[in-house]
Amino acid sequence: PLYVKESGGGSVQAGGSLRLTCTITGSTLSDNVIGWFRQPSGKEREGLAAINRDDDATFYVDSVKGRFTISLGDTKNTVYLQMNQLQPDDTAMYFCAAGALYGGRWYGLAAAPHAYNFWGQGAQVTVSA
């Protein structure tokens, strides 16, 4: 089995930064795409960013472009989400997930929760005004 685990959540004031880490264990790299999602309390889960471990290609939704950066660690079993210029609306539980997305249009599914097979338990991020 494959396991993913988030770390690095916490509380920060508006305008601050946090870096989340997703650690993947038991991976065979067949689940080639790692995505970051968030779910504010009482709202649906939304995709934020994803990275393809085959070629390091990245995907971002418009709302986080220029503020969030997704990257791979040296072993490709660690994925980071650097979050800058955080605002209270960014307060949510943040999840990472692993999925097998292949083909030239993998980014078309990168923000879709149903495309991912393995999920972590989440890390809370709270941004105060």
Side-chain angles (χ1 to χ4, degrees):
L2 186 149
Y3 300 96
V4 296
K5 183 177 181 180
E6 306 87 351
S7 59
S11 298
V12 65
Q13 290 188 327
S17 299
L18 281 174
R19 188 177 78 163
L20 300 179
T21 300
C22 177
T23 303
I24 304 119
T25 57
S27 170
T28 61
L29 294 181
S30 60
D31 290 279
N32 60 320
V33 173
I34 306 299
W36 280 100
F37 295 78
R38 69 184 177 192
Q39 187 167 16
S41 179
K43 297 184 179 180
E44 293 186 355
R45 192 168 298 187
E46 63 172 337
L48 302 174
I51 191 162
N52 190 323
R53 297 193 286 172
D54 292 339
D55 59 7
D56 294 6
T58 58
F59 165 86
Y60 297 93
V61 297
D62 288 344
S63 62
V64 303
K65 283 181 180 176
R67 295 195 303 131
F68 292 8
T69 303
I70 191 170
S71 61
L72 279 173
D74 292 341
T75 66
K76 297 197 175 187
N77 285 331
T78 302
V79 176
Y80 303 105
L81 185 69
Q82 177 68 41
M83 305 185 294
N84 299 327
Q85 302 172 40
L86 287 163
Q87 299 300 319
D89 285 350
D90 294 313
T91 295
M93 186 70 78
Y94 283 70
F95 299 88
C96 70
L101 281 68
Y102 291 92
R105 298 183 178 180
W106 69 271
Y107 49 83
L109 291 173
H114 68 82
Y116 293 80
N117 303 314
F118 302 96
W119 290 82
Q121 295 296 310
Q124 179 66 38
V125 171
T126 302
V127 185
S128 58

